[in-house]
């Protein structure tokens, strides 16, 4: 799905988080970043994935990672999602899909026999210099932190 691969520069982006703050890739210069794209806030798979990352937040911090979640949900929906589960990281409300398209995770999907366009659940691990270290396309929603930290 995505054309980005290990060794590529992560695309520069600028978007608003759930609180209306501007977030951009350059904010993370000199830090490692886990940026995960998910289809829809508060759905079972997305909740399991986001909660697993949050439950392991201290482990990510100890290894020098920041975390950023992205979906096409509104800021209000993202805010409700974050507040309900107490996420310790920002969620981008990428309603115009600028970040989603920059990372190449929007495209045709199939679910229950229907085909439609949507976000492909994908995670990018970005190093301190903005280079993509890993692309995880087969996300295990209930054990995603282990896919990243224990790899």
């Amino acid at each position: 799905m995505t054309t980005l691969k290990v060794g590529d520069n992560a695309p520069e982006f600028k978007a608003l988080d759930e609180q209306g703050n501007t977030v951009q890739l350059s904010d993370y210069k000199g830090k490692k970043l886990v940026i995960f794209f998910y289809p829809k806030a508060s759905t079972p798979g997305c909740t399991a994935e986001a909660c697993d990352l949050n439950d392991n937040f201290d482990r990510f911090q100890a290894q020098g990672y920041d975390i950023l979640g992205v979906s096409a949900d509104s800021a209000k929906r993202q805010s409700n999602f974050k507040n309900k589960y107490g996420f310790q990281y920002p969620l981008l409300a990428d309603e115009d899909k600028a970040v989603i398209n920059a990372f190449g995770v929007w495209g045709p999907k199939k679910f229950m026999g229907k085909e439609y366009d949507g976000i492909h659940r994908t995670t990018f691990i970005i190093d301190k210099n903005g280079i993509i270290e890993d692309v995880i396309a087969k996300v295990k929603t209930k054990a995603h932190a282990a896919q990243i930290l224990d790899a």
Side-chain angles (χ1 to χ4, degrees):
M1 175 67 232
T2 181
T3 56
L4 293 173
K5 58 192 180 311
V6 172
D8 287 348
N9 285 320
E12 183 54 59
F13 63 84
K14 186 186 285 190
L16 298 179
D17 71 7
E18 80 288 342
Q19 297 173 1
N21 300 314
T22 299
V23 176
Q24 51 196 13
L25 181 64
S26 58
D27 295 342
Y28 298 95
K29 191 165 179 63
K31 300 176 181 176
K32 296 188 284 186
L33 178 64
V34 173
I35 182 166
F36 71 101
F37 292 87
Y38 57 95
K40 195 164 184 66
S42 298
T43 55
C46 298
T47 299
E49 177 183 13
C51 286
D52 181 58
L53 294 175
N54 195 62
D55 290 347
N56 289 280
F57 188 75
D58 291 342
R59 286 181 65 208
F60 280 102
Q61 295 274 274
Q63 292 190 32
Y65 287 103
D66 278 335
I67 301 174
L68 190 57
V70 184
S71 76
D73 292 302
S74 68
K76 180 169 177 35
R77 189 169 171 97
Q78 294 287 47
S79 180
N80 290 344
F81 188 37
K82 180 174 179 169
N83 292 336
K84 182 175 183 179
Y85 296 100
F87 299 142
Q88 301 171 74
Y89 49 80
L91 300 176
L92 297 186
D94 191 24
E95 291 184 90
D96 66 0
K97 301 180 190 71
V99 181
I100 291 163
N101 286 323
F103 278 82
V105 297
W106 182 265
K109 298 174 71 167
K110 278 188 179 170
F111 182 69
M112 303 201 42
K114 290 189 170 42
E115 199 165 310
Y116 61 96
D117 283 343
I119 297 172
H120 289 254
R121 186 185 310 277
T122 310
T123 297
F124 296 86
I125 314 302
I126 302 167
D127 75 9
K128 295 177 180 184
N129 300 310
I131 306 295
I132 296 172
E133 277 187 345
D134 197 7
V135 179
I136 303 170
K138 294 191 182 329
V139 172
K140 295 177 184 168
T141 58
K142 293 184 175 129
H144 195 36
Q147 281 183 287
I148 299 163
L149 296 171
D150 303 335

